[in-house]
Amino acid sequence: MIFEQFFEPDSSTFTYLLGCEHTRQAVLIDTVECDVEKYVAALQKHDLTLVYTLETHVHADHVTAADTLRKRLGSKSVVHRDAGAMCGDLLVTDGIHVQVGSIDIEVRYTPGHTNGCVSYYVGDRIFTGDALLIGGCGRTDFQQGNAGQLYDSIHKQIFSLPDETLIYPGHDYNGNTVSTVGQEKLENKRLGGQKSRQEFVEIMANLKLAYPKQIDVALPANQACGNIAVKQSA
């Protein structure tokens, strides 16, 4: 599998390129609109055709490039059916498999940060979006967030995987790029060390986080898959 990780510094967002070496088909997970030219250049470098853009959820901190890439390259947008983005070309549910050449992508429903969050399980790795971060997790104080639900999602859908499974998150703010299930089960500050559900709920209730600076633009745009007309009227 062809694999490339991108980092957008303004929102500390990771985007992932996965490509099939045989069919030359590819997907991008959690795109950022300002990095479209980087994605196009990478696709051209690897001689890949973009088939899907996959969203882990409707983002509040950046605008997706799904609509721009759909118009430019003919790719299709994939989101969970409860994400609040009916603009998606493929609305997925838990347990659905998206096949791209030889790459099998299992959709795992991981709500709690938002009610439409998914993680994508591919071979030896899982792309966790904002559900599980390296040493942390997504906030649960807006977009139908629910701390107890997030705890359950992570334990059922991610911590149940083999300890050596690689974790590629949607963001990182400390220079990390990858972790493992085993590492997060032991060392994650909010979830590690066998913290109870109640302990986690209390931790999340006392974070006192700032309001996301791009949310008023990002949410309505992403509910339209990053449609430019929606962004301009927001």
Side-chain angles (χ1 to χ4, degrees):
M1 181 176 73
I2 296 164
F3 177 71
E4 194 164 339
Q5 182 182 49
F6 304 87
F7 183 70
E8 194 286 304
D10 287 345
S11 59
S12 298
T13 298
F14 285 124
T15 300
Y16 302 96
L17 170 67
L18 284 64
C20 173
E21 295 177 297
H22 305 292
T23 65
R24 316 311 295 183
Q25 294 179 316
V27 302
L28 283 164
I29 300 174
D30 285 345
T31 58
V32 183
E33 192 191 13
C34 63
D35 278 354
V36 165
E37 296 307 323
K38 290 183 182 180
Y39 309 146
V40 172
L43 290 162
Q44 292 174 343
K45 177 182 71 174
H46 295 294
D47 188 27
L48 295 170
T49 298
L50 185 65
V51 180
Y52 296 116
T53 55
L54 279 62
E55 307 290 348
T56 56
H57 63 295
V58 171
H59 311 277
D61 51 16
H62 70 270
V63 175
T64 178
D67 188 64
T68 298
L69 290 167
R70 178 165 54 189
K71 291 174 179 174
R72 183 165 171 178
L73 302 179
S75 54
K76 295 183 178 181
S77 174
V78 179
V79 296
H80 190 269
R81 64 180 183 183
D82 294 334
M86 300 308 290
C87 54
D89 298 294
L90 181 59
L91 302 179
V92 296
T93 60
D94 183 58
I96 291 292
H97 288 252
V98 178
Q99 196 74 32
V100 180
S102 61
I103 303 171
D104 181 78
I105 305 168
E106 180 188 343
V107 178
R108 292 196 163 208
Y109 187 40
T110 49
H113 171 60
T114 76
N115 64 353
C117 284
V118 297
S119 296
Y120 296 107
Y121 184 37
V122 185
D124 64 348
R125 63 199 65 191
I126 187 165
F127 301 90
T128 56
D130 288 17
L132 182 65
L133 306 177
I134 298 174
C137 63
R139 62 195 293 174
T140 58
D141 57 339
F142 66 96
Q143 284 185 276
Q144 300 86 40
N146 184 302
Q149 187 180 44
L150 181 59
Y151 182 93
D152 295 340
S153 294
I154 291 170
H155 280 78
K156 177 183 178 183
Q157 301 281 40
I158 303 172
F159 282 0
S160 61
L161 296 171
D163 283 353
E164 62 270 21
T165 305
L166 299 173
I167 290 176
Y168 285 101
H171 301 277
D172 191 82
Y173 308 95
N174 302 300
N176 303 301
T177 57
V178 64
S179 184
T180 66
V181 167
Q183 179 178 326
E184 295 309 310
K185 284 163 70 174
L186 285 174
E187 301 176 6
N188 191 288
K189 294 178 181 179
R190 299 177 186 174
L191 292 142
Q194 297 184 327
K195 283 187 175 63
S196 70
R197 192 177 193 269
Q198 186 56 41
E199 285 178 302
F200 177 72
V201 170
E202 290 175 2
I203 289 170
M204 298 305 291
N206 291 285
L207 292 179
K208 298 180 174 63
L209 299 172
Y211 190 70
K213 62 181 181 180
Q214 295 190 53
I215 187 172
D216 293 329
V217 172
L219 272 185
N222 291 331
Q223 287 168 342
C225 296
N227 184 276
I228 292 174
V230 173
K231 284 180 293 179
Q232 291 176 336
S233 64

